Amino acid sequence: MFTSRFLRYNIVKTIRPRFGSSVKGDTAVPYAVKHKPTQPTEALAFGRKPGDPLEGWELITFGTLGICISLLVVGKGFSNNDNFQEWAKKEAVARETIKENGGEIEFGKFYSDRKEYASDAIDVMPVIKEE
């Protein structure tokens, strides 16, 4: 008997503040408070209203961003196509021409480069042979 009354008292004591009172006329319900909407009612690009003046840092940031993007685009346009497939295609064409001319192909030697080095040794710094 004591245990059931004790449990009922503690359960009611913990549930009432969380879910409101079951007594009629009680207005102290914690979730009855009106809240502001969590999302804005109008959509703004970057949170700026039309006609807002620029802040001091924005002009510098946008200018720097524009210059960096234009430099990257121009630099990428003028860069060499140095991927593996292009190198392999040049190497295959060079080896094919050597075979057609009657030459022998040595394993581990690159033929697509027209530059010749003074020494093919591994321990020596590569130096281009002067013609």
Side-chain angles (χ1 to χ4, degrees), residues 116-129:
E116 290 193 22
Y117 293 99
S119 174
D120 285 339
I122 295 175
D123 298 336
V124 181
M125 179 76 168
V127 177
I128 297 175
K129 189 186 296 184

Side-chain angles (χ1 to χ4, degrees), residues 1-2 9 21 23 26 28 43 48-49 56 58 63 76-77 79 84 87 95 101-102 108-109 113 119 127-128:
M1 183 82 151
F2 172 74
Y9 173 75
S21 175
V23 180
D26 189 7
R48 299 181 54 102
K49 294 180 181 175
E58 289 176 327
K76 180 65 178 162
S79 69
F84 178 73
W87 172 84
R95 289 180 182 212
N101 294 335
K109 188 173 180 184
D113 249 356
S119 174
V127 177
I128 297 175

Side-chain angles (χ1 to χ4, degrees), residues 26-107:
D26 189 7
T27 58
V29 179
Y31 297 111
V33 179
K34 288 202 167 203
H35 297 286
K36 293 181 182 178
T38 56
Q39 299 292 327
T41 55
E42 58 185 33
L44 301 173
F46 307 110
R48 299 181 54 102
K49 294 180 181 175
D52 280 353
L54 289 176
E55 295 179 14
W57 61 271
E58 289 176 327
L59 186 61
I60 296 169
T61 304
F62 296 150
T64 305
L65 184 66
I67 290 170
C68 289
I69 289 174
S70 61
L71 283 174
L72 285 172
V73 167
V74 169
K76 180 65 178 162
F78 283 108
S79 69
N80 294 332
N81 193 3
D82 288 341
N83 61 10
F84 178 73
Q85 291 175 340
E86 289 294 319
W87 172 84
K89 190 185 295 183
K90 289 177 188 174
E91 186 70 23
V93 169
R95 289 180 182 212
E96 213 172 85
T97 55
I98 289 173
K99 270 191 173 180
E100 286 174 0
N101 294 335
E104 271 193 43
I105 295 176
E106 183 183 331
F107 179 75

